[in-house]
Amino acid sequence: MEVLMPEPQIYVERTLAIIKPDVIDKEEEIEDVILRSGFRILQKRKLQLSPEQCSNFYAEQFGKMFFPNLTAYMSSGPIVAMVLARNCAVSYWKEMLGPSNSLRARITHPHSLRALYGTDELRNGLHGSLSISSAEKEIRFIFPEAILEPLPTGQRARDYLNLYVKPTLLAGLTALCKEKPADPL
């Protein structure tokens, strides 16, 4: 009797990482640490947020004493936002970041990214999503075109390919064949 095993599935979580304005000059160094830690960078974008966009991004912090300083700081210069992926991405990235207060991080987690790149509680160098749901929300905020739904498999995948991919490929290949370049190589 043959035992049928289900197809293996790869569960990959995504999280948002932001290199804040005061450490933007360390972008390559930080990216190298990220990649060496087993993350994949799915999307990357350099941008400058307005104070209003920062207020919307950090809406959960509204009403706290540091909120005005946070929005001013985050809109003070360009940032680099990245969608990071790996198993347990949210928790692993939070662990790499260390405590949000860089001064405390230097004492309790001296090898954490905030201990290495941050200067104080507000200017902690990097941002990380607190949960899977906040990661999805933050990724949609920074990368509105991002597709976060699970990828289709089985019949759903075949239907998608037949409906959207194959017609586009057929049209493109047909147009290419009609060109008949003189020197195809």
Side-chain angles (χ1 to χ4, degrees), residues 8-15 34 37-42 84-96 132:
Q9 292 191 353
I10 299 172
Y11 297 100
V12 177
E13 225 174 72
R14 294 174 215 177
T15 192
I34 289 168
S37 298
F39 285 99
R40 288 202 103 107
I41 299 173
L42 301 181
L84 306 182
R86 68 167 282 160
N87 287 332
C88 303
V90 173
S91 60
Y92 197 76
W93 180 239
K94 284 193 319 187
E95 184 181 319
M96 285 180 63
I132 294 172

Side-chain angles (χ1 to χ4, degrees), residues 24-158:
I24 197 88
D25 59 321
K26 304 283 187 189
E27 175 188 350
E28 286 182 30
E29 189 177 314
I30 293 168
E31 241 182 83
D32 185 52
V33 172
I34 289 168
L35 293 172
R36 283 187 290 116
S37 298
F39 285 99
R40 288 202 103 107
I41 299 173
L42 301 181
Q43 289 182 285
K44 179 179 163 184
R45 179 177 180 202
K46 190 174 193 173
L47 67 154
Q48 183 158 354
L49 298 173
S50 70
E52 182 182 6
Q53 288 171 316
C54 291
S55 294
N56 291 335
F57 185 79
Y58 287 108
E60 293 90 30
Q61 307 296 333
F62 183 77
K64 294 186 180 173
M65 292 286 289
F66 61 86
F67 184 76
N69 291 336
L70 176 64
T71 56
Y73 162 55
M74 288 300 292
S75 61
S76 68
I79 62 170
V80 174
M82 295 173 280
V83 177
L84 306 182
R86 68 167 282 160
N87 287 332
C88 303
V90 173
S91 60
Y92 197 76
W93 180 239
K94 284 193 319 187
E95 184 181 319
M96 285 180 63
L97 289 176
S100 61
N101 183 330
S102 296
L103 301 174
R104 188 170 352 116
R106 285 192 187 102
I107 296 165
T108 61
H109 298 77
H111 300 292
S112 69
L113 294 175
R114 286 180 174 150
L116 298 172
Y117 297 105
T119 54
D120 56 35
E121 186 171 4
L122 179 66
R123 296 177 184 275
N124 60 11
L126 297 134
H127 169 84
S129 303
L130 295 175
S131 65
I132 294 172
S133 61
S134 68
E136 289 176 0
K137 186 180 116 234
E138 292 172 357
I139 290 168
R140 280 195 180 95
F141 185 91
I142 301 289
F143 299 94
E145 74 288 353
I147 298 172
L148 297 175
E149 290 73 29
L151 297 175
T153 58
Q155 187 58 45
R156 285 184 56 215
R158 285 188 288 281

Side-chain angles (χ1 to χ4, degrees), residues 157-173:
R158 285 188 288 281
D159 291 345
Y160 179 84
L161 289 171
N162 289 330
L163 188 61
Y164 298 105
V165 177
K166 286 183 180 177
T168 303
L169 284 175
L170 183 61
L173 290 172

